């Protein structure tokens, strides 16, 4: 990763993504969801299988099939969601060993104070 990329990361406040449920034409079961960055839905996107499987980038979600009966899928309920950079999430949810780092303790205290002052 270059320095420029590293700096760019800190500036992203989140991006809009569109998530659609993919349902089976034949049996009607929910197979998972597809996430894209555009609307109307392009064929390519990130496939999230139902049941907590690993998200996967696919070139064309229409080629996916129902895991239950092999039927074709259709997209429904397209919803706009705000996503934060994955790198950002990883940083926030990095596994903590032993005591949390000082900056995290500080951040939590700030968040707690902010929450309490709103009461
Ligand atoms: Zn099916």
């Amino acid at each position: 990763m270059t320095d420029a990329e590293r700096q760019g990361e800190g500036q992203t406040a989140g991006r809009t993504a569109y998530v659609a449920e993919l349902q089976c034409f034949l049996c009607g079961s929910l197979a998972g969801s597809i996430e894209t960055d555009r609307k109307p839905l392009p064929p390519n996107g990130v496939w999230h299988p139902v049941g907590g499987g690993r998200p996967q980038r696919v070139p064309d979600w229409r080629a996916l099939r129902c895991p239950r009966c092999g039927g074709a899928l259709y997209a429904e309920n397209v919803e706009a969601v705000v996503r934060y950079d994955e790198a950002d999430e990883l940083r926030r949810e990095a596994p903590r060993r032993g005591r949390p780092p000082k900056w995290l303790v500080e951040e939590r205290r700030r968040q707690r104070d902010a929450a309490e002052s709103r009461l």
Side-chain angles (χ1 to χ4, degrees):
M1 197 185 284
T2 67
D3 281 334
E5 279 172 326
R6 243 191 300 269
Q7 282 170 6
E9 260 176 38
Q11 294 165 359
T12 45
R15 63 190 166 82
T16 305
Y18 297 95
V19 178
E21 291 178 347
L22 294 186
Q23 274 188 296
C24 176
F25 267 119
L26 296 181
C27 71
S29 71
L30 180 68
S33 61
I34 188 81
E35 180 180 329
T36 74
D37 55 3
R38 262 172 295 152
K39 206 182 163 183
L41 224 54
N44 61 309
V46 179
W47 159 242
H48 297 263
V50 81
R54 220 169 232 288
Q56 210 184 327
R57 197 162 273 284
V58 293
D60 189 347
W61 62 264
R62 290 167 300 187
L64 298 167
R65 289 291 175 265
C66 171
R68 202 161 157 202
C69 73
L73 306 176
Y74 66 95
E76 218 188 33
N77 301 331
V78 184
E79 243 180 71
V81 295
V82 178
R83 288 276 190 248
Y84 297 93
D85 259 354
E86 273 151 43
D88 235 38
E89 269 169 46
L90 288 178
R91 205 154 47 220
R92 258 178 233 142
E93 288 167 21
R96 292 181 294 274
R97 291 193 188 86
R99 282 198 293 169
K102 208 169 164 188
W103 65 264
L104 188 62
V105 174
E106 282 292 323
E107 192 174 296
R108 282 187 183 151
R109 189 165 46 221
R110 265 203 310 275
Q111 280 171 0
R112 206 164 48 226
D113 287 348
E116 276 166 7
S117 66
R118 251 178 273 140
L119 291 176

